[in-house]
Amino acid sequence: FDENVDSVQISANGNLDNHTGINFGGVQNVILRNMTIDAAQISGSEYAYKCHIDNIKLIDGVRLVGMNAMAYSSFTNISGNFSWRGIEIKTGSHNLIVKNIHGIYKPIEGYPQPVDAISLGQYNRNVTVDSFSFDFGSSSPKISTVNFRSRKGTISNGVITCPNLENAFVKFNNEHYIADPTFGCYANTLKNVKFYGGTNMKTVFEMGDGEGVNKGKQKDNWVSQKKMANRKNKPAEDDDEDMAEVYDAVKTEDVPPQANIIENCLFQGGDVHSIVKLNSGVKNIIRNCTFTNAKIKASPNFQSSNTLSNNTFK
């Protein structure tokens, strides 16, 4: 940990996440190179230190790049088909390089619709995604093609093509659990990326969830959530201690994106009714970007707390 913090809680998601789990073990100094793999993905749930995966062609994958908790490692020169997410980087990865990634969407059994191209999840730090391309063909992802929840991440020098996209190209999300903004969607950079969409888009770009939108909707007490999940639909009783602990749990925070930079990007899509939706955020900078067929919709607080400069709206 290189931040000055008063206390640290270390945990593994285990049974709480039905998509991934962290094995209680790890590897280091592993190199995987020059292979063609017919599998769902190259990696999934792991702890890895100083590991490098290079020059891989993935056939009919769910993800091209997917990981938990990789540090001082790299994924480079990866290409192939994906059916769910192009790049998914989840909890605990840091000082990671993901470079030269090229994916084409192709549905497979059980995955009829893609989710997004790039997802940088919570509590990742110093993740670099550089030099990439994703083509979604005629499909429409479930959410924005690029989603930020990380801190100090960089996504640069890429092209994303999705003519039937209905959601925004990019979404910077609020942090729902931690009050400290530097552990939320903080100090990320998006630069030199070209997005090509169509006329179905109502929102071209979105920053924040809106002030107070998520406040109190979730609980910041994972132990209580696990107890509630383990009830297996048991009827609640008046003196049910498990349920009382859930309802008494601390309410979640709702911290907007802060200190992010978006620069030199092209957002081509939408129609005359499309918007650049700036809901909430502090000290974010949007500069030297081109938006076609979109108008800014920003809250008064956003306009006074963030910087927009040298952007072009066509």
Side-chain angles (χ1 to χ4, degrees):
F1 296 90
D2 61 6
E3 287 83 7
N4 294 320
V5 294
D6 296 329
S7 63
V8 174
Q9 178 180 341
I10 302 174
S11 64
N13 45 346
N15 293 330
L16 292 175
D17 186 336
N18 61 0
H19 294 293
T20 64
I22 298 176
N23 295 324
F24 292 94
V27 296
Q28 63 180 355
N29 300 321
V30 173
I31 297 175
L32 179 67
R33 179 175 291 152
N34 302 331
M35 299 182 70
T36 297
I37 302 175
D38 188 344
Q41 60 192 41
I42 301 168
S43 65
S45 309
E46 70 283 297
Y47 166 70
Y49 176 71
K50 291 187 177 179
C51 294
H52 304 284
I53 299 176
D54 176 67
N55 195 24
I56 306 294
K57 181 177 181 181
L58 189 64
I59 299 173
D60 294 343
V62 174
R63 302 165 182 83
L64 282 183
V65 176
M67 72 194 71
N68 265 344
M70 290 192 73
Y72 296 95
S73 299
S74 66
F75 280 73
T76 53
N77 304 311
I78 313 294
S79 64
N81 306 116
F82 70 99
S83 60
W84 184 248
R85 282 179 147 152
I87 299 172
E88 182 177 13
I89 302 173
K90 296 189 72 177
T91 305
S93 294
H94 65 92
N95 296 86
L96 178 73
I97 301 293
V98 181
K99 189 172 183 178
N100 292 332
I101 313 298
H102 303 283
I104 297 175
Y105 170 72
K106 178 183 177 182
I108 62 175
E109 184 177 358
Y111 296 89
Q113 183 183 11
V115 175
D116 56 14
I118 303 173
S119 177
L120 297 188
Q122 289 98 328
Y123 317 132
N124 294 308
R125 185 185 74 247
N126 294 338
V127 173
T128 297
V129 178
D130 183 69
S131 302
F132 59 88
S133 66
F134 290 100
D135 189 340
F136 286 90
S138 60
S139 66
S140 180
K142 292 182 180 180
I143 58 178
S144 301
T145 56
V146 174
N147 293 277
F148 282 95
R149 297 181 185 273
S150 63
R151 53 196 173 111
K152 302 180 181 179
T154 299
I155 297 179
S156 59
N157 303 314
V159 176
I160 294 178
T161 304
C162 190
N164 289 327
L165 180 65
E166 296 180 4
N167 298 298
F169 286 123
V170 178
K171 173 69 183 289
F172 285 79
N173 295 271
N174 282 30
E175 168 53 50
H176 298 166
Y177 294 103
I178 301 239
D180 185 344
T182 61
F183 283 86
C185 184
Y186 174 79
N188 298 289
T189 299
L190 176 71
K191 63 181 180 181
N192 302 324
V193 180
K194 296 180 180 179
F195 298 89
Y196 296 100
T199 59
N200 294 331
M201 305 176 68
K202 301 296 184 292
T203 301
V204 173
F205 175 95
E206 188 168 6
M207 174 73 74
D209 298 339
E211 297 177 6
V213 170
N214 302 297
K215 189 72 173 178
K217 286 187 177 181
Q218 297 170 301
K219 308 295 181 181
D220 191 19
N221 189 320
W222 288 104
V223 174
S224 297
Q225 291 190 29
K226 184 174 182 179
K227 287 182 178 180
M228 183 167 64
N230 289 339
R231 289 172 51 83
K232 297 181 179 179
N233 299 319
K234 182 182 72 174
E237 300 175 0
D238 292 340
D239 59 349
D240 192 322
E241 294 182 359
D242 286 355
M243 292 305 293
E245 187 175 355
V246 170
Y247 290 126
D248 292 340
V250 177
K251 299 293 192 303
T252 182
E253 298 295 334
D254 189 22
V255 178
Q258 302 201 26
N260 300 287
I261 298 175
I262 303 93
E263 61 184 355
N264 301 320
C265 291
L266 169 65
F267 302 92
Q268 183 172 308
D271 60 22
V272 294
H273 303 293
S274 301
I275 58 174
V276 175
K277 197 173 184 180
L278 306 179
N279 298 310
S280 55
V282 178
K283 297 182 179 179
N284 299 290
I285 298 173
I286 304 175
R287 62 191 177 201
N288 303 323
C289 292
T290 298
F291 299 87
T292 67
N293 295 322
K295 299 178 182 178
I296 287 181
K297 182 179 181 180
S299 67
N301 286 344
F302 190 97
Q303 295 181 46
S304 63
S305 302
N306 300 271
T307 301
L308 283 73
S309 62
N310 298 321
N311 298 297
T312 302
F313 293 83
K314 295 182 179 181

